[in-house]
Amino acid sequence: MDKIQARGDMTLSRRKNNKEMMKSKEDYYPTDPLIEFYGLSDDFPRLQFMTRGGPSGDGKVIYFLGKSVKDWIDRGLQDRVKVINAGLKAFERNATTTNEDPSLPRYRICQEGIHYVAPYMTKRKISCSLKDFQICLDEKPVRLEKLSTDTASVIRKWKLGGFVVILEGFENDLTRRKMILVMWRGRGDSCNCLVSKVEKEGIRSKLRAFAEEQGKELQTTTETTEATAPKEAIKVVEPITETVPKEATAPKKETALKEAEAS
């Protein structure tokens, strides 16, 4: 009887922990502290954003889930199976902003799910020219003095934290083409691109195709040169071995015996 009771307690404990992993109650929205900072509109689907931190809101990542997946979780899917991974990274916890300014949000936007967040952003979002977009993609760090006056003046007004840059003409086509970059407004007169190297290569490929369609040429930067430059051939150097005459390697005793016989 004790074993059955213990087994039942363990099952309840697992269910309780699993519920905390994917909190989806209507009285808890992990994105609420981000609404003002990013200017998220009223139609922002905050019910589709969940965290593994439970009601305490201490989850490292806020995920975006499709509506059908979200409905399954709200119906108690996590009571029957253990939810290992679900959704796209939309926001990620970052201690840098809160350490320097407690009024700033604890989460920054992520490139992985930005195309589901950016359409609802009314702040910290800017459309830029092909030249500015390529500078943001390739330069490390991005010096604001290299950007156009209009783009640089807008970024300079923003506080420390994340923002997004969209290529002009793709504001309403973010899901299919995803010509958008997540950036970080740092200290001083600079910013950084928060996109992985693999995804950068994919964006460059689409950017080259777009420039070709428009009859434009992309500027050459240090990073694009390194990415397109052919790899140097590897030279195989064989070790140098000295050939020693057989006579020099003959044993000394044999040489002395021959000399004695000759005399």
Side-chain angles (χ1 to χ4, degrees):
M1 185 68 181
D2 294 339
K3 290 183 179 180
I4 296 175
Q5 180 63 36
R7 188 179 303 169
D9 293 341
M10 289 175 64
T11 303
L12 291 174
S13 178
R14 283 198 298 268
R15 287 184 177 179
K16 182 179 179 181
N17 292 336
N18 211 8
K19 285 181 179 180
E20 294 297 321
M21 288 180 67
M22 279 291 177
K23 188 67 176 177
S24 178
K25 297 295 184 182
E26 294 184 358
D27 57 349
Y28 175 67
Y29 305 104
T31 56
D32 281 358
L34 309 173
I35 291 177
E36 177 62 27
F37 188 74
Y38 293 109
L40 300 175
S41 58
D42 294 337
D43 56 343
F44 177 70
R46 56 182 184 169
L47 278 175
Q48 290 179 239
F49 291 83
M50 303 179 184
T51 178
R52 294 176 182 270
S56 61
D58 293 331
K60 183 179 178 182
V61 177
I62 298 177
Y63 297 92
F64 170 80
L65 277 70
K67 192 175 184 305
S68 57
V69 177
K70 177 258 180 184
D71 290 341
W72 275 106
I73 291 178
D74 284 350
R75 292 175 184 176
L77 176 67
Q78 65 273 25
D79 294 338
R80 298 184 179 183
V81 297
K82 185 175 182 180
V83 180
I84 302 297
N85 191 14
L88 298 173
K89 279 187 180 182
F91 300 92
E92 189 170 17
R93 190 171 59 197
N94 184 36
T96 304
T97 51
T98 51
N99 289 340
E100 296 193 5
D101 188 351
S103 65
L104 297 176
R106 294 188 300 168
Y107 292 90
R108 66 167 179 83
I109 43 182
C110 297
Q111 180 73 17
E112 184 175 314
I114 188 57
H115 47 301
Y116 292 108
V117 179
Y120 303 97
M121 292 174 60
T122 61
K123 298 180 181 178
R124 303 185 74 87
K125 179 175 72 172
I126 185 173
S127 299
C128 65
S129 64
L130 178 63
K131 180 180 178 182
D132 284 350
F133 190 85
Q134 190 184 1
I135 291 174
C136 291
L137 179 65
D138 293 334
E139 297 291 336
K140 296 186 300 184
V142 179
R143 300 294 178 185
L144 298 185
E145 60 188 18
K146 291 187 175 183
L147 300 174
S148 64
T149 305
D150 294 339
T151 302
S153 61
V154 172
I155 297 175
R156 286 191 177 104
K157 295 177 183 178
W158 290 332
K159 293 181 179 179
L160 184 75
F163 67 95
V164 297
V165 171
I166 305 173
L167 180 62
E168 288 180 347
F170 291 87
E171 294 86 352
N172 299 321
D173 192 19
L174 297 179
T175 304
R176 188 171 64 91
R177 302 291 288 270
K178 201 179 179 182
M179 300 300 280
I180 183 171
L181 303 173
V182 171
M183 307 291 293
W184 180 261
R185 177 72 170 100
R187 307 176 189 87
D189 203 44
S190 64
C191 57
N192 289 284
C193 183
L194 302 181
V195 181
S196 67
K197 187 175 181 181
V198 174
E199 188 159 358
K200 277 185 176 183
E201 289 300 322
I203 296 175
R204 285 195 192 98
S205 178
K206 291 186 289 185
L207 204 60
R208 285 192 293 267
F210 171 72
E212 188 176 348
E213 290 175 2
Q214 300 295 319
K216 300 179 180 179
E217 291 185 3
L218 297 178
Q219 57 184 351
T220 303
T221 62
T222 304
E223 191 162 340
T224 53
T225 303
E226 292 177 355
T228 57
K231 296 182 179 180
E232 295 182 0
I234 301 174
K235 298 179 180 179
V236 179
V237 180
E238 296 182 356
I240 301 174
T241 56
E242 296 181 359
T243 56
V244 182
K246 293 182 179 180
E247 295 181 357
T249 59
K252 293 182 179 180
K253 291 183 178 180
E254 187 175 344
T255 304
L257 183 59
K258 289 182 179 179
E259 292 177 354
E261 291 177 354
S263 62

